Amino acid sequence: MAVRNVTSLYTKKFLIKKISRPMCSKLLKSRRTALIKGFLSKKGKKFNAVLILDDANKVAFEFIPFKPKVKKS
């Protein structure tokens, strides 16, 4: 079941971001990818996330906390 989900993930754009074949392979082998930049939310905001395969073999997001930019004065 997971292979079909990831295969369909590869053949389509996922939240306006095309997932590469190596990223799909890594997701299947280690159940997570490296940080992927440039997803686009339904509201049109860009975000970065790691894709993970959960216990039900569904693709989910893991959000990496970021440090806010500090303005230099």
Side-chain angles (χ1 to χ4, degrees):
M1 187 70 137
V3 174
R4 186 169 56 168
N5 289 342
V6 175
T7 303
S8 66
L9 179 73
Y10 176 70
T11 59
K12 297 178 185 176
K13 288 186 177 180
F14 189 71
L15 292 175
I16 315 298
K17 182 72 178 176
K18 188 167 183 172
I19 307 302
S20 67
R21 187 174 298 268
M23 281 291 188
C24 288
S25 295
K26 185 171 181 167
L27 181 61
L28 286 173
K29 289 178 185 174
S30 63
R31 303 190 64 83
R32 66 184 298 122
T33 64
L35 180 67
I36 301 173
K37 298 181 179 182
F39 287 108
L40 193 64
S41 72
K42 291 178 183 177
K43 293 184 178 182
K45 292 187 176 189
K46 286 190 174 185
F47 66 95
N48 305 329
V50 172
L51 294 179
I52 60 169
L53 260 170
D54 64 12
D55 294 335
N57 289 326
K58 293 189 178 190
V59 178
F61 290 104
E62 183 177 290
F63 298 98
I64 306 298
F66 68 94
K67 297 178 185 176
K69 293 181 181 178
V70 177
K71 292 184 179 180
K72 294 182 181 179
S73 36

